Amino acid sequence: MTSEQILKQLKEMGYKMTPQRRMLIEALLAAQADGLTADAIYQTVLAAYPDMGLDTVYRNLRLLTRLNVVAEVKRPGKLAQYSINQHAHSHSLTCLCCGMQMGLNHCPVKELETIAREEHGFVITNHRIELQGYCPECWAARQAKQGHC
């Protein structure tokens, strides 16, 4: 994955690629599979942005983790390690009437991944969620008893 691909992904989710975010992502990309601590990322980015605070690094890491762009690995007694999430998974809404599919940007499995790892030692590497129901137009038609599906 490249920083441009991540930029495109963030834009699609409605977020901007700030210079600080770009530097953070480039630091993670340079580390490749090796995870970096927030402090290591901060030290790398600090050279280019001496006015940036560690809280900015943590705030961006929380956002990028929530958006599933960055993977966070927490190990007991150690600092969390961050890396670019290379495991793509999808979450979608599928209309049972017209078949329209819409992707979800939020990952509802994050908490389950933590529970699986901490309580059961199970590492989830991929998942897919498909929620089925009705898009707004089809639901409105069903409610109006026009029953086009």
Side-chain angles (χ1 to χ4, degrees):
M1 187 170 279
T2 67
S3 59
E4 295 310 313
Q5 289 171 319
I6 295 169
L7 169 64
K8 182 181 176 203
Q9 187 179 357
L10 288 173
K11 280 185 180 179
E12 289 172 354
M13 290 186 262
Y15 294 91
K16 294 178 182 175
M17 178 67 91
T18 64
Q20 295 87 349
R21 225 172 259 161
R22 181 181 293 277
M23 290 296 296
L24 187 144
I25 287 169
E26 287 176 1
L28 289 170
L29 286 169
Q32 295 181 7
D34 300 332
L36 294 176
T37 64
D39 190 55
I41 295 167
Y42 173 66
Q43 295 302 324
T44 301
V45 175
L46 195 59
Y49 291 96
D51 295 333
M52 187 167 80
L54 185 57
D55 58 333
T56 301
V57 172
Y58 275 109
R59 191 172 39 256
N60 279 289
L61 285 171
R62 278 192 303 273
L63 171 68
L64 294 170
T65 300
R66 187 172 47 84
L67 296 175
N68 205 35
V69 172
V70 169
E72 176 186 42
V73 176
K74 294 181 182 177
R75 295 185 185 108
K78 296 191 178 201
L79 295 173
Q81 298 268 320
Y82 300 91
S83 60
I84 297 296
N85 193 354
Q86 301 293 339
H87 302 290
H89 60 272
S90 64
H91 310 100
S92 61
L93 303 173
T94 303
C95 181
L96 293 170
C97 182
C98 68
M100 181 270 309
Q101 284 197 323
M102 185 176 2
L104 291 174
N105 295 328
H106 171 72
C107 178
V109 179
K110 279 291 187 198
E111 185 176 316
L112 293 173
E113 287 178 340
T114 301
I115 291 168
R117 185 174 51 252
E118 291 176 358
E119 293 183 14
H120 305 287
F122 189 85
V123 177
I124 297 172
T125 59
N126 197 1
H127 63 270
R128 175 171 165 53
I129 296 173
E130 181 180 20
L131 302 171
Q132 299 177 344
Y134 297 95
C135 70
E137 293 79 17
C138 293
W139 183 249
R142 290 179 63 85
Q143 294 300 320
K145 308 267 189 256
Q146 294 172 357
H148 72 282
C149 2

